[in-house]
Amino acid sequence: MEVERVQDIANLSKETIPEEFIRSSNEQPALTTVLGTVLEVPVIDLSDPDEENLVKAIVEASSNWGMFQVVNHGIPDETIRKLKEVGQAFFELPQEEKEAYAKPPGSQTIEGYGTKLKKEEEGKRSWVDHLFNKIWPPSEVNYQFWPKNPPSYRETNEEYAKHMRGVANKLFRCLSLGLGLEGDEMKAALGGDDMVYLLKINYYPPCPRPDLALGVPPHTDMSAFTVLVPNDVQGLQACRDEHWYDVEYIPNALIVHIGDQIEILSNGMYKSVLHRTTVNKERTRISWPVFLEPPSKLKVGPHPKLINEANPPKFESKMYSEYCASKLNMTP
Ligand code: OGA
Ligand code: NI
């Protein structure tokens, strides 16, 4: 099956873009972005020895923004640099070589190289190709979807996954303490050490009309939370008070998005953030989100300890796979 990759379209379209990428006026970035204001989302120093202070900062950011940036996170700059290098190198391979990792048509798994074809609500396409790889736990890893080229792809991503576990565990602990739970209770309710780390690489080629097209359309992540690193091309936007703003990047910081599962588990105390991405006229934008997900068969609902007469559950409990299926099909 021949799928048209955005990267190929970008190579052919130097002045205009196909009509299916042109957003309606209520979505076009040129018409809907608040210019001249870059959102300074909360910056959290994960090495703060005062845990109470750290918890307070994370609670504040997760309840008011659903988004924050983490510095002094312990992932070596060199590990992040290599992660970006090997991911970019994969997308720069000849097209046939990338297609060897294409998500098999009709497959149940999300893994592999791909381009979203399923039309969104308004029937528009997104200016982005992607690669999905589960990188943790080892029992979930399918190396058939991991590029053999560049040769250091595997080692580099395994190294990143190892460091990411430390960051994720610390974030789960703080988020849990912030709700008055024991440090390990939130993670336990989301699957504990069986949680899946799903890496996505978003590859946004240069776009002749960045005023009209979007990278990923507005959404909240379905994950518990997402930890993202971008390359140095601006493009991530967050919605605040119904307006879209560029998010300021701090070099080597990790950008954390609270996802739907933590919003649900916290019974709405923490908010998943509505975000989208724009594209650039001259430069390729790339981003590396890791989605921290409950095992697909696990049921997630508001934590029993957070529910009482005064605080009834605001969300239904659902198996994670069901949650994703119903959100993707946009049925309740
Ligand atoms: C996503 C996403 C943001 C980005 O893939 O879910 O929100 O900066 N990506 O690419
Ligand atoms: Ni997202």
Side-chain angles (χ1 to χ4, degrees):
M1 189 183 71
E2 207 52 33
V3 180
E4 218 180 13
R5 304 300 177 195
V6 174
Q7 204 173 350
D8 290 330
I9 297 171
N11 282 333
L12 296 171
S13 329
K14 294 297 176 201
E15 265 156 40
T16 55
I17 55 174
E19 139 74 30
E20 71 236 42
F21 289 95
I22 301 178
R23 297 278 159 177
S24 62
S25 55
N26 63 349
E27 281 198 336
Q28 285 176 19
L31 300 175
T32 56
T33 300
V34 178
L35 295 175
T37 315
V38 173
L39 267 195
E40 292 179 28
V41 307
V43 178
I44 290 181
D45 178 351
L46 212 59
S47 70
D48 188 343
D50 181 347
E51 191 175 63
E52 218 169 290
N53 200 37
L54 179 59
V55 169
K56 222 173 100 202
I58 291 181
V59 169
E60 151 76 16
S62 306
S63 357
N64 294 331
W65 292 75
M67 183 184 227
F68 52 90
Q69 306 211 35
V70 172
V71 296
N72 299 324
H73 41 67
I75 305 186
D77 292 354
E78 182 62 9
T79 304
I80 295 180
R81 190 191 64 72
K82 280 201 210 139
L83 173 84
K84 294 177 175 175
E85 185 178 274
V86 296
Q88 174 164 356
F90 169 72
F91 279 92
E92 289 171 356
L93 293 175
Q95 203 54 36
E96 322 80 81
E97 211 174 328
K98 294 198 286 277
E99 296 298 343
Y101 303 94
K103 176 181 138 95
S107 83
Q108 292 298 308
T109 168
I110 191 167
E111 285 184 279
Y113 172 60
T115 305
K116 208 165 141 203
L117 286 178
K118 205 175 125 240
K119 304 255 162 121
E120 298 154 21
E121 268 172 292
E122 298 204 5
K124 295 300 176 189
R125 288 187 60 191
S126 305
W127 196 265
V128 61
D129 296 323
H130 60 248
L131 174 69
F132 276 108
N133 289 144
K134 291 187 203 168
I135 58 171
W136 190 264
S139 58
E140 290 288 322
V141 169
N142 295 307
Y143 287 117
Q144 74 191 91
F145 295 113
W146 289 43
K148 293 201 179 40
N149 250 328
S152 55
Y153 187 90
R154 175 168 164 173
E155 184 195 333
T156 302
N157 279 272
E158 287 179 341
E159 177 77 10
Y160 187 62
K162 189 182 84 190
H163 287 292
M164 183 54 71
R165 288 179 68 210
V167 174
N169 286 337
K170 192 153 188 179
L171 290 175
F172 276 124
R173 177 177 163 80
C174 292
L175 287 163
S176 198
L177 293 172
L179 294 174
L181 302 172
E182 301 294 329
D184 57 358
E185 282 182 304
M186 174 176 268
K187 183 175 153 187
L190 293 165
D193 287 329
D194 293 333
M195 287 197 78
V196 176
Y197 291 44
L198 177 66
L199 170 77
K200 180 186 185 195
I201 306 178
N202 286 303
Y203 188 89
Y204 306 92
C207 177
R209 296 301 303 266
D211 53 331
L212 303 178
L214 279 178
V216 291
H219 68 285
T220 58
D221 291 350
M222 294 186 284
S223 57
F225 58 76
T226 305
V227 182
L228 177 144
V229 295
N231 73 349
D232 62 346
V233 179
Q234 194 69 46
L236 179 61
Q237 295 192 328
C239 189
R240 288 283 280 173
D241 309 321
E242 293 171 35
H243 294 290
W244 289 100
Y245 297 88
D246 290 323
V247 172
E248 184 199 29
Y249 291 173
I250 302 168
N252 292 314
L254 306 172
I255 302 177
V256 177
H257 297 157
I258 297 294
D260 298 343
Q261 303 312 304
I262 279 191
E263 177 166 312
I264 293 168
L265 186 68
S266 70
N267 203 29
M269 164 92 170
Y270 299 141
K271 307 277 187 307
S272 63
V273 63
L274 187 62
H275 56 285
R276 70 178 187 186
T277 56
T278 59
V279 290
N280 188 281
K281 199 172 165 101
E282 274 91 34
R283 300 187 59 204
T284 297
R285 178 166 186 272
I286 316 179
S287 69
W288 289 259
V290 174
F291 301 98
L292 282 276
E293 302 189 316
S296 63
K297 297 274 175 308
L298 189 80
K299 218 168 179 182
V300 180
H303 198 286
K305 288 197 178 170
L306 304 176
I307 300 302
N308 52 45
E309 250 167 59
N311 295 294
K314 295 187 178 131
F315 303 90
E316 242 183 279
S317 297
K318 270 191 189 168
M319 214 155 81
Y320 185 57
S321 57
E322 281 170 2
Y323 181 87
C324 296
S326 59
K327 182 160 170 174
L328 294 173
N329 297 328
M330 299 188 211
T331 52

